[in-house]
Amino acid sequence: MLNKRKTIFLLLIICMVFGAYTVIGQEEGATDGAEDSSGSIWDKILFPVFVAVAMFVIHGIAYLIRLFKKDRLQKTLMNKYVVFHLKNGHRYHGTMRVDMKGAEIISEESRQRGQAPSYIFKQGQLEKEIGAYIRYHDIMNEREKRERAWELERLLNPSLSYRFVRKIRNMFIALNEAVKNAMNMVVTGLKGAARPITQQLQRIDAAASEYGGQGTAVKELNTILDEPKGFMAEESYERIIERLVGTRVKIQISGVKHAEGIYMGLLKDYNYKHMSFMNIKDKDGNGFRDQWTIEKEYKGNIRNFNIRDDRGLRSRLVENNGNYFVVFENNTAYTIQVGKITLHDGSPTWERNLEFKWHIEPLSVRRIRLNPVSNHKISPFDRVSIRENRTPRNFKKLRIEFRSFRDADVIFPRGDVCKIIESGEKRQVESFSISSITDAMLDRSEIEEIAIQDAEGRPIHGMNLVHGYVTNVNEERIDLKSVDSSYSRRWEVESAYTHFDKKLRHKIPVHRKLNPISARRFVAQHELIEQIRENPLQKEAVAQLAYPKKVKRSLRVPLLKMLPTNVDIPLPLKVMTFTSNGTNMEFPILERYEYVHEHHMLYETVDTLRNDRLAKMDILWIGSGEVYKGGYRLNIDSEHRIKNFVSQGGIVIVSGQDVKTNYRQRRGAGWIPEPLTGLEYDETDELLPTSQGRRSRIFHTPNVLNTTPDTKEIPLVRLDDMWVDPLGKWNSFAKSTSQDDASALLTLPFQQGLYIVTSLKNDTERDVQINAKIMENLLHYSVKWLDNQRWRQRFKLQ
């Protein structure tokens, strides 16, 4: 719709038309006599009203044109996570929205830090201040990665239709001058036809100025008529640059702080204002450079220096036994390089230039020792000085320079910012040595388990690739002869099915369709196909060739009762127990439960989560005290691995904690998506299941736990410190009997997985024997939850 200013302006025009023509009608009546004064007033205001309505329609059409008139390359960034790199080096992160008068970047991270939730750039600011629109590969989601892969494939191997459409578009752009001349002729004709309207609008402007208003009707009309001239100017066709689309080119970036230099990139597209590149690399083969500096005034108090920048890097000063360190906590997925460290303001300035050779690996914590030394002059001698050891407490400010290189796709403004200076090859095919590939296949000295992934890139738990065979059996239990025999039988079944399927694809005679026995056989096979196949695009392919939908629908109901639709092969499940801080009392008890819901359970214990086997597991059992025991025990890498494991469909069961404080304290937020608070609690053997916990039957299957003589269900278990849910995001299955807000068993679904957090006290062998029944119940609940999730995912019910 029209904005408020233009709406008020149009209403003012209509009102001024009535007022002006009333006055005009009176003047003409005074001079021309009584014959004209007897005319109807509607005959006099009919034309001005038509002019006003025409202006309204023209404004509406112009608004609709401007609504869709956006930069073609900027539109590719709409609703995408983009980094605005300004020419002065400042950056804005967030989701980009493009409008006809500018752009908006919405940042949830900025809102959480207490800053503005969004930033608005007008069109003039975008053209003057923005130096680059950056999309980093490591922050793209799965859908954006698939779209980018499709765009890259189309760019490197363009189809015939894509090339034809682009040539047609370039032909019209090349004929831009002819189009401009045609538009000029149309606009000139419109202005000639609108000359009476212009004269009336001039009179309206004069009347509006006389009454104290602003007469802008003529100016608005000229603006609208001149609007089509700029439509084709935003696109560009240059034969030299068009030849380079889809090739690697060398570009020079200038006028953009922290991004200047020579880069190589794959030219994706261009227009009059911008150039778009994929896979930007610098001259040394690194990614797109990001360089920034943090500076903090801590005034001698090292506790004041604790900064988390917008990249995800936390820096702080600590003291340990008289030594001072600056600790870096890298929460990003890329390596960060440290340059110059400067202490100043106080004692003489001290610098240590690491020349960006000191690296902070992704998801890691590293520290650098600070040992500042200053030259102290001995008075009254100006040239005599001694070296004096100082500490960070003798300074007031600390400045640190950082740098990183990340793979990115970038859109640069053309002209002074981005220039193509050299062309490259369209493809850089890397050749492989056949002999080296053969040697690698025959070499069995290094055996590595390869995670089997589905079509969406998620690991299939329990399946491995061993000696070229896809199997769910461990390597030491594999009989190669039996596996080969199984594959041979599978090939025979597949060949028989293919032969029968080819027969079905031919036209079926009418008498066979009317035969109930043959019809049931055909429909049964189609139903089996639809149950087995996972690709929804292929489910109806064969069935539509055999029978119409009506016949198929009438025969499907009795057949569904005969088909084993609820039967599924229970694959083995893998359980990893994480126990490293105390005695390993839980693992021997868990090993007893060899089969759970007909699934063969495979257990293994580890003392660290820094391994690649976690992605192949189905359940992670975190032992008692592993999260908190006299202090928080998980590092950043473990937190990210746990959270990623649950998001990919795994289940995490936390046995318990050991809080030694007298106050509530939040336990680390990295391993769980929603916060929990640990609460010190006396040892007890009682808890009260909630209504949600009773419905889940977690206290009844397969073991019915003991209850007290009264009606309350209070299982006999060994519990210790409880949990408190401050935000109410978790599902409480069991509460404390003495404190309402304390919970002993909570669950939280997260993306495709599940968290189960308990308060079990499993410190001694006696404690574990008491809690053995509820531990078995937790395993049964987890396995049932996994089966339900995989069943829903298989039949697309979630």
Side-chain angles (χ1 to χ4, degrees), residues 211-229:
Y211 287 99
Q214 294 182 355
T216 59
V218 178
K219 182 179 178 181
E220 290 286 340
L221 179 62
N222 293 331
T223 302
I224 294 173
L225 293 177
D226 292 338
E227 188 76 23
K229 293 182 179 179

Side-chain angles (χ1 to χ4, degrees), residues 397-412:
K397 295 181 180 180
L398 174 60
R399 182 173 63 251
I400 309 176
E401 297 178 0
F402 301 99
R403 188 178 68 178
S404 65
F405 294 93
R406 303 165 63 183
D407 294 335
D409 300 339
V410 189
I411 296 178
F412 293 106

Side-chain angles (χ1 to χ4, degrees), residues 691-702:
S691 59
Q692 191 175 5
R694 287 191 291 269
R695 288 194 302 269
S696 68
R697 302 193 61 82
I698 199 171
F699 301 107
H700 300 80
T701 305

